[in-house]
Amino acid sequence: MITRRTALLGAAVATLLASTPALAADDLKLPRQSVELVAPPFVHAHEQATKEGPKIIEFKLQIKEKEVVIDDAGTKFQAMTFNGSMPGPMMVVHEGDYVEVTLINSDTNTMPHNIDFHSATGGLGGGALTHVNPGEQVVLRWKATRTGTFVYHCAPEGMIPWHVVSGMHGTVMVLPRDGLKNREGKPLRYDRVYYIGENDLYVPKDENGKYKSYETPGEAFADTTEVMRKLIPTHVVFNGKVGALTGKNAMTAKVGETVMIVHSQANRDTRPHLIGGHGDYVWETGKFINPPEKDLETWFIRGGSAGAALYTFRQPGIYAYVNHNLIEAVELGASAHFKVEGEWNNDLMKQVKPPGPIPPGKSSALEAPVAR
Ligand SMILES: [Cu+2]
Protein backbone atom coordinates (compact mmCIF):
# COMPACT_ATOMS: atom_id res chain seq x y z
CA MET A 1 0.00 0.00 0.00
CA ILE A 2 1.38 3.36 -0.89
CA THR A 3 0.79 5.82 1.90
CA ARG A 4 1.45 9.54 1.78
CA ARG A 5 4.61 8.90 3.80
CA THR A 6 6.08 6.32 1.41
CA ALA A 7 5.20 8.53 -1.53
CA LEU A 8 7.03 11.42 0.05
CA LEU A 9 9.99 9.19 0.86
CA GLY A 10 9.99 7.95 -2.73
CA ALA A 11 10.01 11.51 -3.99
CA ALA A 12 12.85 12.38 -1.64
CA VAL A 13 14.89 9.40 -2.81
CA ALA A 14 14.18 10.29 -6.44
CA THR A 15 15.36 13.86 -5.81
CA LEU A 16 18.44 12.53 -4.08
CA LEU A 17 19.20 10.15 -6.94
CA ALA A 18 18.75 12.93 -9.47
CA SER A 19 21.01 15.31 -7.60
CA THR A 20 23.68 12.88 -6.34
CA PRO A 21 25.73 12.55 -9.53
CA ALA A 22 25.96 16.31 -9.87
CA LEU A 23 27.10 16.63 -6.28
CA ALA A 24 29.57 13.79 -6.52
CA ALA A 25 32.11 14.99 -9.01
CA ASP A 26 30.71 17.22 -11.69
CA ASP A 27 29.74 20.39 -9.90
CA LEU A 28 32.57 21.78 -12.02
CA LYS A 29 32.01 21.16 -15.71
CA LEU A 30 35.66 20.94 -16.56
CA PRO A 31 37.82 18.30 -18.17
CA ARG A 32 39.79 16.12 -15.78
CA GLN A 33 43.39 15.03 -16.03
CA SER A 34 45.01 12.49 -13.77
CA VAL A 35 48.74 12.98 -13.19
CA GLU A 36 51.18 10.29 -12.12
CA LEU A 37 53.64 11.90 -9.72
CA VAL A 38 57.38 11.10 -9.79
CA ALA A 39 59.98 11.21 -7.04
CA PRO A 40 62.27 14.28 -6.80
CA PRO A 41 64.59 15.57 -8.17
CA PHE A 42 62.47 14.64 -11.20
CA VAL A 43 59.20 16.32 -12.09
CA HIS A 44 56.23 14.83 -13.96
CA ALA A 45 55.86 15.76 -17.67
CA HIS A 46 53.97 19.01 -18.18
CA GLU A 47 53.38 21.79 -20.68
CA GLN A 48 55.23 25.03 -19.95
CA ALA A 49 52.45 27.05 -21.59
CA THR A 50 48.99 25.90 -22.59
CA LYS A 51 46.33 27.03 -25.02
CA GLU A 52 43.71 24.85 -23.33
CA GLY A 53 41.23 26.09 -20.76
CA PRO A 54 41.33 25.27 -17.04
CA LYS A 55 41.10 21.64 -15.94
CA ILE A 56 40.71 19.65 -12.77
CA ILE A 57 44.10 18.06 -12.22
CA GLU A 58 43.97 14.94 -10.07
CA PHE A 59 46.91 13.88 -7.88
CA LYS A 60 47.26 11.04 -5.42
CA LEU A 61 49.44 11.45 -2.31
CA GLN A 62 50.09 8.32 -0.28
CA ILE A 63 51.46 9.04 3.18
CA LYS A 64 54.28 6.67 4.10
CA GLU A 65 55.92 6.48 7.50
CA LYS A 66 59.20 4.64 7.01
CA GLU A 67 62.70 4.18 8.31
CA VAL A 68 65.34 5.77 6.09
CA VAL A 69 69.12 6.05 6.20
CA ILE A 70 70.21 9.69 6.11
CA ASP A 71 74.01 9.62 5.89
CA ASP A 72 77.03 7.52 4.92
CA ALA A 73 77.46 6.38 8.53
CA GLY A 74 74.13 4.54 8.25
CA THR A 75 72.21 6.76 10.68
CA LYS A 76 68.60 5.58 10.78
CA PHE A 77 65.71 8.02 10.85
CA GLN A 78 61.96 7.58 11.32
CA ALA A 79 60.73 9.56 8.32
CA MET A 80 57.19 10.66 7.58
CA THR A 81 56.66 11.25 3.87
CA PHE A 82 54.28 12.04 1.04
CA ASN A 83 54.65 9.21 -1.52
CA GLY A 84 57.74 7.81 0.20
CA SER A 85 60.22 10.56 -0.72
CA MET A 86 61.72 13.52 1.16
CA PRO A 87 60.58 15.97 -0.10
CA GLY A 88 57.29 14.76 -1.52
CA PRO A 89 56.74 15.05 -5.27
CA MET A 90 56.38 18.36 -7.08
CA MET A 91 52.96 18.96 -8.64
CA VAL A 92 52.73 21.21 -11.70
CA VAL A 93 49.52 22.91 -12.86
CA HIS A 94 48.57 26.15 -14.63
CA GLU A 95 46.92 29.24 -13.22
CA GLY A 96 43.14 28.75 -13.08
CA ASP A 97 43.36 24.95 -12.87
CA TYR A 98 41.78 23.12 -9.95
CA VAL A 99 44.07 20.84 -7.96
CA GLU A 100 42.23 17.79 -6.67
CA VAL A 101 44.30 15.78 -4.24
CA THR A 102 43.43 12.40 -2.78
CA LEU A 103 45.39 12.13 0.47
CA ILE A 104 45.67 8.55 1.68
CA ASN A 105 46.80 7.61 5.20
CA SER A 106 47.09 3.82 5.00
CA ASP A 107 46.38 1.69 8.06
CA THR A 108 50.04 0.64 8.29
CA ASN A 109 50.84 4.21 9.44
CA THR A 110 50.67 5.22 13.09
CA MET A 111 50.01 8.97 12.99
CA PRO A 112 47.25 11.36 11.92
CA HIS A 113 48.32 13.61 9.04
CA ASN A 114 46.95 16.37 6.82
CA ILE A 115 48.19 18.81 4.18
CA ASP A 116 48.56 22.60 4.11
CA PHE A 117 49.07 24.01 0.60
CA HIS A 118 50.65 27.47 0.64
CA SER A 119 49.20 27.90 -2.84
CA ALA A 120 45.58 27.34 -1.69
CA THR A 121 43.19 29.85 -0.13
CA GLY A 122 41.29 29.31 3.14
CA GLY A 123 40.88 26.42 5.58
CA LEU A 124 44.50 26.53 6.81
CA GLY A 125 45.58 25.90 3.21
CA GLY A 126 43.45 22.76 3.31
CA GLY A 127 44.91 21.61 6.62
CA ALA A 128 41.53 22.06 8.32
CA LEU A 129 39.77 19.83 5.77
CA THR A 130 42.27 17.03 5.27
CA HIS A 131 42.90 15.56 8.71
CA VAL A 132 43.14 11.77 8.18
CA ASN A 133 43.80 9.03 10.71
CA PRO A 134 45.50 5.75 9.70
CA GLY A 135 43.06 3.84 7.49
CA GLU A 136 41.37 6.99 6.14
CA GLN A 137 41.59 9.05 2.96
CA VAL A 138 40.24 12.44 1.96
CA VAL A 139 39.79 14.38 -1.28
CA LEU A 140 40.49 18.13 -1.33
CA ARG A 141 40.09 20.49 -4.25
CA TRP A 142 41.48 24.02 -4.45
CA LYS A 143 41.80 26.57 -7.22
CA ALA A 144 45.26 27.68 -8.35
CA THR A 145 44.70 31.45 -8.39
CA ARG A 146 48.32 32.58 -8.01
CA THR A 147 51.34 31.57 -10.06
CA GLY A 148 54.64 30.46 -8.63
CA THR A 149 56.38 27.76 -6.63
CA PHE A 150 54.75 27.09 -3.27
CA VAL A 151 55.51 24.75 -0.40
CA TYR A 152 53.01 22.19 0.86
CA HIS A 153 53.47 20.40 4.18
CA CYS A 154 51.79 18.32 6.84
CA ALA A 155 50.40 20.36 9.75
CA PRO A 156 48.68 18.18 12.35
CA GLU A 157 47.67 19.98 15.52
CA GLY A 158 50.25 19.76 18.30
CA MET A 159 53.04 18.32 16.15
CA ILE A 160 53.39 20.55 13.09
CA PRO A 161 57.17 21.23 13.11
CA TRP A 162 57.97 17.62 13.92
CA HIS A 163 56.03 16.30 10.91
CA VAL A 164 57.61 18.94 8.66
CA VAL A 165 61.21 18.24 9.67
CA SER A 166 60.49 14.49 9.53
CA GLY A 167 60.04 14.86 5.76
CA MET A 168 56.42 15.86 5.12
CA HIS A 169 56.85 18.73 2.69
CA GLY A 170 56.92 19.30 -1.04
CA THR A 171 56.18 21.89 -3.72
CA VAL A 172 53.42 22.88 -6.11
CA MET A 173 54.40 24.87 -9.21
CA VAL A 174 51.59 26.94 -10.73
CA LEU A 175 52.72 28.13 -14.18
CA PRO A 176 51.19 31.12 -15.96
CA ARG A 177 48.92 29.75 -18.74
CA ASP A 178 51.05 31.54 -21.34
CA GLY A 179 54.33 30.45 -19.74
CA LEU A 180 57.19 32.18 -17.95
CA LYS A 181 58.39 35.65 -19.00
CA ASN A 182 61.42 37.81 -18.40
CA ARG A 183 61.27 41.42 -17.21
CA GLU A 184 60.59 42.63 -20.78
CA GLY A 185 57.75 40.16 -21.29
CA LYS A 186 59.75 37.82 -23.57
CA PRO A 187 59.03 34.10 -23.09
CA LEU A 188 61.42 32.00 -21.00
CA ARG A 189 61.61 28.24 -21.40
CA TYR A 190 63.53 25.42 -19.79
CA ASP A 191 64.87 22.18 -21.26
CA ARG A 192 64.92 20.33 -17.94
CA VAL A 193 63.52 20.90 -14.49
CA TYR A 194 64.85 19.54 -11.20
CA TYR A 195 63.26 19.82 -7.80
CA ILE A 196 65.48 20.03 -4.73
CA GLY A 197 63.83 19.94 -1.31
CA GLU A 198 66.13 20.88 1.53
CA ASN A 199 65.44 19.33 4.94
CA ASP A 200 66.96 20.15 8.33
CA LEU A 201 67.08 17.01 10.50
CA TYR A 202 67.33 16.77 14.28
CA VAL A 203 68.56 13.32 15.28
CA PRO A 204 68.88 12.63 19.03
CA LYS A 205 72.15 11.23 20.41
CA ASP A 206 72.73 8.79 23.27
CA GLU A 207 75.00 9.48 26.27
CA ASN A 208 78.06 8.39 24.20
CA GLY A 209 77.25 10.88 21.45
CA LYS A 210 76.00 8.19 19.01
CA TYR A 211 72.86 8.79 16.99
CA LYS A 212 69.87 6.94 18.45
CA SER A 213 67.44 4.93 16.37
CA TYR A 214 63.78 4.20 17.08
CA GLU A 215 61.18 1.64 16.01
CA THR A 216 58.41 4.15 15.20
CA PRO A 217 58.05 7.92 14.70
CA GLY A 218 56.05 8.11 17.93
CA GLU A 219 58.94 6.64 19.93
CA ALA A 220 61.29 9.31 18.55
CA PHE A 221 58.94 12.21 19.28
CA ALA A 222 60.04 13.33 22.79
CA ASP A 223 63.82 13.08 22.16
CA THR A 224 63.53 14.69 18.71
CA THR A 225 61.51 17.60 20.08
CA GLU A 226 64.24 18.24 22.63
CA VAL A 227 66.87 18.47 19.83
CA MET A 228 64.53 20.57 17.64
CA ARG A 229 64.03 23.16 20.39
CA LYS A 230 67.77 23.92 20.37
CA LEU A 231 67.47 24.86 16.66
CA ILE A 232 70.77 23.17 15.73
CA PRO A 233 70.22 20.58 13.01
CA THR A 234 72.39 17.45 13.03
CA HIS A 235 71.97 17.12 9.25
CA VAL A 236 70.93 19.53 6.49
CA VAL A 237 70.19 17.45 3.40
CA PHE A 238 68.90 17.74 -0.14
CA ASN A 239 66.30 15.13 -1.07
CA GLY A 240 66.30 13.09 2.10
CA LYS A 241 69.89 12.09 2.76
CA VAL A 242 73.51 13.15 2.52
CA GLY A 243 74.62 12.35 -1.04
CA ALA A 244 71.12 11.87 -2.49
CA LEU A 245 72.11 14.08 -5.45
CA THR A 246 75.90 13.73 -5.64
CA GLY A 247 78.28 11.35 -7.48
CA LYS A 248 76.30 8.73 -9.40
CA ASN A 249 73.08 10.43 -8.29
CA ALA A 250 74.13 13.75 -9.88
CA MET A 251 71.57 15.65 -11.91
CA THR A 252 72.53 15.88 -15.57
CA ALA A 253 72.44 18.50 -18.31
CA LYS A 254 74.20 19.44 -21.55
CA VAL A 255 76.02 22.63 -22.48
CA GLY A 256 73.46 24.98 -24.00
CA GLU A 257 70.53 23.54 -22.09
CA THR A 258 68.48 25.72 -19.78
CA VAL A 259 67.73 24.06 -16.48
CA MET A 260 65.08 25.15 -14.03
CA ILE A 261 66.05 24.47 -10.43
CA VAL A 262 63.20 24.64 -7.93
CA HIS A 263 64.46 24.75 -4.34
CA SER A 264 62.19 24.49 -1.32
CA GLN A 265 62.77 24.71 2.42
CA ALA A 266 59.60 24.21 4.45
CA ASN A 267 61.11 25.15 7.81
CA ARG A 268 64.32 27.15 7.70
CA ASP A 269 66.12 29.78 5.59
CA THR A 270 68.67 28.70 3.00
CA ARG A 271 70.80 30.23 0.28
CA PRO A 272 71.43 28.13 -2.86
CA HIS A 273 74.54 28.70 -4.94
CA LEU A 274 75.75 26.96 -8.11
CA ILE A 275 79.55 26.81 -7.91
CA GLY A 276 80.97 27.94 -11.27
CA GLY A 277 77.57 29.04 -12.53
CA HIS A 278 74.87 31.58 -11.80
CA GLY A 279 71.18 32.18 -11.61
CA ASP A 280 70.46 33.68 -15.06
CA TYR A 281 66.87 34.36 -14.01
CA VAL A 282 65.81 33.87 -10.41
CA TRP A 283 62.40 34.13 -8.85
CA GLU A 284 63.85 34.22 -5.37
CA THR A 285 60.45 34.24 -3.71
CA GLY A 286 59.18 31.85 -6.37
CA LYS A 287 56.26 34.00 -7.49
CA PHE A 288 56.13 34.36 -11.27
CA ILE A 289 54.02 37.54 -11.38
CA ASN A 290 57.12 39.37 -10.10
CA PRO A 291 59.87 39.86 -12.68
CA PRO A 292 62.83 37.51 -12.22
CA GLU A 293 66.12 38.85 -10.92
CA LYS A 294 69.12 38.53 -13.25
CA ASP A 295 72.64 37.15 -12.87
CA LEU A 296 72.53 36.21 -9.20
CA GLU A 297 75.51 34.53 -7.52
CA THR A 298 73.52 33.23 -4.54
CA TRP A 299 69.83 33.48 -3.81
CA PHE A 300 67.78 33.35 -0.68
CA ILE A 301 64.98 30.92 0.06
CA ARG A 302 62.91 31.93 3.06
CA GLY A 303 61.97 29.09 5.36
CA GLY A 304 58.44 28.11 4.34
CA SER A 305 58.85 28.90 0.66
CA ALA A 306 60.13 27.60 -2.66
CA GLY A 307 62.13 29.58 -5.23
CA ALA A 308 62.94 28.96 -8.87
CA ALA A 309 66.08 29.67 -10.90
CA LEU A 310 66.90 29.28 -14.60
CA TYR A 311 70.45 28.66 -15.73
CA THR A 312 71.82 27.90 -19.18
CA PHE A 313 74.97 25.79 -18.76
CA ARG A 314 77.88 27.20 -20.78
CA GLN A 315 80.71 24.87 -19.72
CA PRO A 316 80.91 21.11 -19.21
CA GLY A 317 82.01 19.49 -15.96
CA ILE A 318 80.83 18.71 -12.47
CA TYR A 319 79.11 21.61 -10.75
CA ALA A 320 78.40 21.57 -7.05
CA TYR A 321 75.06 23.10 -6.10
CA VAL A 322 75.14 23.96 -2.43
CA ASN A 323 73.58 25.77 0.45
CA HIS A 324 76.18 28.55 0.71
CA ASN A 325 76.28 28.32 4.43
CA LEU A 326 79.29 26.14 3.61
CA ILE A 327 79.27 24.45 7.00
CA GLU A 328 75.78 23.21 6.23
CA ALA A 329 76.89 22.21 2.73
CA VAL A 330 80.13 20.42 3.58
CA GLU A 331 79.71 19.27 7.18
CA LEU A 332 75.96 18.67 7.36
CA GLY A 333 75.12 17.47 3.86
CA ALA A 334 73.44 20.26 1.86
CA SER A 335 75.25 19.60 -1.44
CA ALA A 336 74.22 18.33 -4.86
CA HIS A 337 76.00 17.83 -8.20
CA PHE A 338 75.17 18.67 -11.80
CA LYS A 339 77.07 16.62 -14.37
CA VAL A 340 77.18 18.65 -17.56
CA GLU A 341 78.37 17.29 -20.92
CA GLY A 342 79.60 19.35 -23.84
CA GLU A 343 82.47 21.36 -25.29
CA TRP A 344 84.74 23.44 -23.07
CA ASN A 345 84.76 27.14 -23.96
CA ASN A 346 88.34 28.51 -23.72
CA ASP A 347 87.08 32.05 -24.15
CA LEU A 348 85.11 31.86 -20.91
CA MET A 349 87.93 30.16 -18.98
CA LYS A 350 91.40 28.86 -19.76
CA GLN A 351 94.27 27.62 -17.64
CA VAL A 352 96.93 29.78 -19.24
CA LYS A 353 99.79 27.93 -17.50
CA PRO A 354 99.35 24.83 -15.38
CA PRO A 355 100.63 24.85 -11.78
CA GLY A 356 104.46 24.51 -11.62
CA PRO A 357 107.46 25.67 -9.61
CA ILE A 358 108.00 29.41 -9.28
CA PRO A 359 110.85 30.23 -11.75
CA PRO A 360 114.14 30.88 -9.86
CA GLY A 361 115.06 34.51 -9.39
CA LYS A 362 111.68 35.71 -10.59
CA SER A 363 109.76 35.36 -7.35
CA SER A 364 111.19 38.40 -5.58
CA ALA A 365 110.82 40.58 -8.70
CA LEU A 366 107.11 39.73 -8.89
CA GLU A 367 106.45 40.46 -5.27
CA ALA A 368 104.74 43.74 -4.45
CA PRO A 369 107.15 46.30 -3.03
CA VAL A 370 106.99 46.47 0.74
CA ALA A 371 106.17 49.88 2.14
CA ARG A 372 108.90 51.18 4.44
CU1 LIG B 1 52.04 14.32 9.07
Side-chain angles (χ1 to χ4, degrees):
M1 189 174 79
I2 297 172
T3 62
R4 185 177 142 73
R5 188 168 172 274
T6 48
L8 279 175
L9 265 178
V13 169
T15 313
L16 208 77
L17 283 175
S19 61
T20 301
L23 280 175
D26 298 326
D27 52 329
L28 277 178
K29 300 280 182 223
L30 290 177
R32 289 179 164 267
Q33 186 185 339
S34 174
V35 173
E36 202 69 45
L37 291 167
V38 300
F42 305 107
V43 179
H44 66 81
H46 59 269
E47 284 185 305
Q48 293 182 41
T50 178
K51 291 199 164 65
E52 292 178 32
K55 291 180 191 166
I56 302 168
I57 316 285
E58 302 170 345
F59 298 102
K60 203 175 273 181
L61 282 179
Q62 181 97 42
I63 296 161
K64 287 185 185 155
E65 297 170 6
K66 59 189 245 189
E67 185 181 272
V68 296
V69 171
I70 53 166
D71 59 23
D72 298 336
T75 304
K76 289 174 182 159
F77 182 74
Q78 289 293 327
M80 297 188 262
T81 71
F82 292 106
N83 281 14
S85 61
M86 294 165 67
M90 186 158 108
M91 300 176 227
V92 185
V93 301
H94 291 90
E95 183 181 11
D97 285 343
Y98 292 79
V99 176
E100 193 173 284
V101 176
T102 302
L103 181 68
I104 304 159
N105 190 358
S106 61
D107 58 9
T108 50
N109 292 331
T110 60
M111 291 276 151
H113 301 280
N114 67 356
I115 191 163
D116 167 358
F117 288 98
H118 288 190
S119 40
T121 308
L124 308 180
L129 305 175
T130 51
H131 192 277
V132 277
N133 287 309
E136 293 182 332
Q137 69 172 48
V138 64
V139 182
L140 177 77
R141 189 171 70 210
W142 52 270
K143 189 176 185 177
T145 58
R146 297 162 200 268
T147 60
T149 47
F150 297 83
V151 158
Y152 66 80
H153 62 88
C154 188
E157 214 185 316
M159 43 186 182
I160 298 171
W162 177 48
H163 280 234
V164 173
V165 299
S166 295
M168 295 193 83
H169 54 86
T171 291
V172 172
M173 179 158 74
V174 182
L175 288 165
R177 296 202 85 77
D178 56 353
L180 298 171
K181 304 260 169 66
N182 70 7
R183 194 173 284 270
E184 289 75 42
K186 294 249 171 63
L188 292 172
R189 291 186 61 82
Y190 43 89
D191 300 299
R192 297 170 190 247
V193 52
Y194 290 112
Y195 170 38
I196 295 163
E198 187 174 322
N199 202 139
D200 39 329
L201 299 168
Y202 303 83
V203 186
K205 288 177 180 162
D206 64 18
E207 55 281 0
N208 301 317
K210 285 194 69 173
Y211 288 123
K212 288 171 83 169
S213 58
Y214 301 87
E215 292 296 310
T216 63
E219 260 180 56
F221 176 63
D223 290 355
T224 305
T225 305
E226 214 175 293
V227 184
M228 276 163 42
R229 290 178 72 109
K230 296 192 174 80
L231 297 172
I232 303 170
T234 55
H235 302 71
V236 178
V237 298
F238 292 163
N239 292 23
K241 64 173 287 191
V242 178
L245 299 174
T246 58
K248 65 177 175 30
N249 303 319
M251 297 169 284
T252 58
K254 295 192 176 82
V255 168
E257 282 185 335
T258 299
V259 177
M260 173 183 258
I261 308 166
V262 176
H263 193 118
S264 70
Q265 224 303 6
N267 188 61
R268 193 170 177 271
D269 299 342
T270 184
R271 50 207 73 66
H273 173 85
L274 179 66
I275 301 179
H278 302 90
D280 287 336
Y281 295 92
V282 182
W283 293 268
E284 203 176 42
T285 59
K287 305 306 170 278
F288 299 134
I289 200 162
N290 305 303
E293 291 202 76
K294 285 274 297 158
D295 298 341
L296 298 195
E297 60 178 301
T298 298
W299 42 105
F300 184 69
I301 306 295
R302 295 142 182 80
S305 75
L310 289 183
Y311 183 61
T312 305
F313 283 96
R314 293 151 173 92
Q315 295 279 39
I318 305 288
Y319 290 71
Y321 173 88
V322 299
N323 170 342
H324 212 291
N325 176 326
L326 295 167
I327 301 163
E328 296 180 4
V330 177
E331 300 296 330
L332 301 191
S335 295
H337 287 155
F338 282 96
K339 190 176 169 209
V340 180
E341 288 177 354
E343 290 277 308
W344 181 263
N345 181 341
N346 275 322
D347 185 43
L348 286 172
M349 185 179 282
K350 183 178 173 155
Q351 187 178 54
V352 180
K353 276 186 186 165
I358 302 166
K362 292 267 179 81
S363 59
S364 57
L366 284 173
E367 272 168 18
V370 178
R372 354 176 10 138

